[in-house]
């Protein structure tokens, strides 16, 4: 596993030549890949109880996750909703249960842990809002957000725009990317679960409007049908087994890019919140018995297991969207 821009072997910084049967390397020092981006949606620092920060059994992004990644020679990529990012105050979101990074938080992650940051649009508009955007508003949501991230001195801003919600295939969103996002970002994030987070760069880099597809680790009912947690109600799906992600990563080939997305990572059991309705149990040694009652919580121990599998793979390069964009001929 390698970290870009520290390319090649973590131990000595050397660049590996392509192995037998690998696709040709791009005309950069990146090597042939495969590549992995560790994407953190909205750069959520910690949890909250009615907007009051509560770090109990939370693997905080800045004090736990980023240092652990750094210990493995890795760095994350965070997304930022620029109009909802304040200088030092963390923005409260997700039904008053989550706190997203401030500009100060993002600067700390960039300067001390090598993180990059991309756009999550300017205002996180609803589909109805996207359908009614004027040209000026559309430009502000896309290229304007990129300019704001860049103005705060954060690296990677032009790498990607992550359109919000489950409606990224809607014609209005496709048009927003085609007419605006594609003019100032290397890639546009679109959800397509059939892609399993696996992107073929030769195709993605030459097919307008340059969509790329993440896979997210999500919470949900546990995977052991003998346990009560098997019937925990969550609107979308079931808890992601770490083995599922590890198997997907093991199938990556040179020239492929895996965008691996997470939200808030948790440990132990949930505390006794006053108003926050999020619940979880990560205490079992068996991941099949781990569960959360919301998609945006996932057990830190399972995420660590996935990270360790990535670190053990000598062919994988950890990088960010803009670095890959430059390597594969995107202009930003």
């Amino acid at each position: 596993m390698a970290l870009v821009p520290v390319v090649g072997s973590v131990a000595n910084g050397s660049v590996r030549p392509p192995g037998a049967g690998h696709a040709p390397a791009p005309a950069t020092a990146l090597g042939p890949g495969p590549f992995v981006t560790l994407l953190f949606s909205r750069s959520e620092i910690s949890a909250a109880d009615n907007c009051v920060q509560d770090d109990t059994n939370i693997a905080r992004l800045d004090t736990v996750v980023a240092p652990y990644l750094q210990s493995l020679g890795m760095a994350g990529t965070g997304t930022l909703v620029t109009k909802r990012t304040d200088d030092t105050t963390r923005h409260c979101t997700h039904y008053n249960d989550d706190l997203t990074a401030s500009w100060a938080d993002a600067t700390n992650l960039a300067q001390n842990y090598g993180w990059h940051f991309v756009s999550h649009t300017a205002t996180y508009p609803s589909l109805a809002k996207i359908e009614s955007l004027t040209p000026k508003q559309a430009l502000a949501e896309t290229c304007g957000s990129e300019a704001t991230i860049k103005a705060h001195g954060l690296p990677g801003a032009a790498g990607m725009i992550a359109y919000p919600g489950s409606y990224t295939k809607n014609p209005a969103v496709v048009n927003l990317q085609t007419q605006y996002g594609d003019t100032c970002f290397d890639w546009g994030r679109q959800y397509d679960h059939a892609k399993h987070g696996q992107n073929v760069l030769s195709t993605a880099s030459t097919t307008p409007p340059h969509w790329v597809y993440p896979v997210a680790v999500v919470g949900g009912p546990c995977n052991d049908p003998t346990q009560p947690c098997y019937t925990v109600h969550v609107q979308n799906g079931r808890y992601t087994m770490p083995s599922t992600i590890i198997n997907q990563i093991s199938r990556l080939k040179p020239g492929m890019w895996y965008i691996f997305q997470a939200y808030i990572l948790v440990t132990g059991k949930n505390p006794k919140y006053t108003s926050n309705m999020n619940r979880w149990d990560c205490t079992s040694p068996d991941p099949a018995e781990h569960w959360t009652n919301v998609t945006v919580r996932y057990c830190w121990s399972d995420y660590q297991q996935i990270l360790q599998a990535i670190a053990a793979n000598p062919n994988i390069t950890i990088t960010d969207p803009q670095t890959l964009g430059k390597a594969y001929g995107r202009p930003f």
Side-chain angles (χ1 to χ4, degrees):
M1 185 280 298
L3 171 67
V4 169
V6 183
V7 183
S9 167
V10 173
N12 59 25
S14 63
V15 178
R16 295 180 304 274
H22 285 189
T28 73
L30 277 185
F35 307 98
V36 171
T37 292
L38 304 174
L39 190 67
F40 291 87
S41 183
R42 290 199 267 189
S43 303
E44 295 173 330
I45 294 289
S46 190
D49 193 7
N50 196 25
C51 292
V52 176
Q53 184 164 323
D54 190 336
D55 298 335
T56 306
N57 289 347
I58 300 295
R60 276 182 48 158
L61 204 63
D62 55 344
T63 60
V64 177
V65 177
Y68 184 79
L69 291 180
Q70 188 178 63
S71 76
L72 295 176
M74 300 179 183
T77 297
T79 73
L80 295 170
V81 182
T82 53
K83 289 289 187 181
R84 297 183 183 179
T85 304
D86 299 316
D87 287 343
T88 58
T89 302
R90 292 169 184 149
H91 180 76
C92 186
T93 189
H94 274 168
Y95 310 103
N96 298 336
D97 297 337
D98 301 354
L99 297 176
T100 62
S102 65
W103 292 114
D105 289 322
T107 299
N108 169 50
L109 289 167
Q111 293 181 350
N112 294 313
Y113 299 101
W115 283 44
H116 291 72
F117 290 89
V118 298
S119 171
H120 211 111
T121 70
T123 69
Y124 202 84
S126 65
L127 178 57
K129 176 64 175 176
I130 290 175
E131 290 174 333
S132 66
L133 290 173
T134 66
K136 182 178 180 180
Q137 291 170 332
L139 188 65
E141 285 289 352
T142 54
C143 302
S145 68
E146 183 265 341
T148 300
I149 295 171
K150 188 179 293 184
H152 281 85
L154 298 174
M160 178 190 293
I161 181 166
Y163 294 100
S166 58
Y167 41 82
T168 56
K169 289 189 175 183
N170 184 277
V173 181
V174 173
N175 181 66
L176 185 61
Q177 168 65 7
T178 302
Q179 298 298 321
Y180 297 93
D182 202 35
T183 69
C184 51
F185 292 97
D186 292 324
W187 321 98
R189 186 194 70 174
Q190 185 181 74
Y191 285 115
D192 187 336
H193 299 301
K195 301 287 186 180
H196 301 297
Q198 298 171 341
N199 301 276
V200 178
L201 280 158
S202 61
T203 302
S205 63
T206 56
T207 308
H210 303 99
W211 291 116
V212 289
Y213 308 95
V215 66
V217 284
V218 297
C222 72
N223 290 271
D224 185 345
T226 70
Q227 298 297 317
C229 56
Y230 193 76
T231 58
V232 170
H233 175 71
V234 177
Q235 185 175 0
N236 297 313
R238 189 166 293 281
Y239 186 90
T240 304
M241 288 289 289
S243 58
T244 299
I245 302 298
I246 292 169
N247 287 338
Q248 290 174 359
I249 291 170
S250 70
R251 293 194 292 269
L252 294 173
K253 293 179 173 57
M256 295 181 71
W257 177 22
Y258 191 76
I259 305 173
F260 177 41
Q261 180 172 303
Y263 306 92
I264 288 185
L265 299 163
V266 297
T267 66
K269 291 185 179 181
N270 58 275
K272 293 183 178 179
Y273 291 125
T274 300
S275 61
N276 185 323
M277 300 301 293
N278 294 331
R279 303 291 183 264
W280 65 83
D281 189 341
C282 302
T283 58
S284 173
D286 183 359
E289 295 183 7
H290 293 171
W291 64 270
T292 72
N293 71 343
V294 62
T295 58
V296 294
R297 296 288 187 273
Y298 190 75
C299 295
W300 172 229
S301 59
D302 294 333
Y303 190 84
Q304 287 177 295
Q305 184 179 340
I306 297 166
L307 291 179
Q308 289 160 9
I310 293 172
N313 187 327
N315 298 313
I316 288 176
T317 295
I318 301 292
T319 189
D320 71 286
Q322 189 170 16
T323 299
L324 269 182
K326 289 180 179 178
Y328 279 84
R330 299 291 294 129
F332 307 110

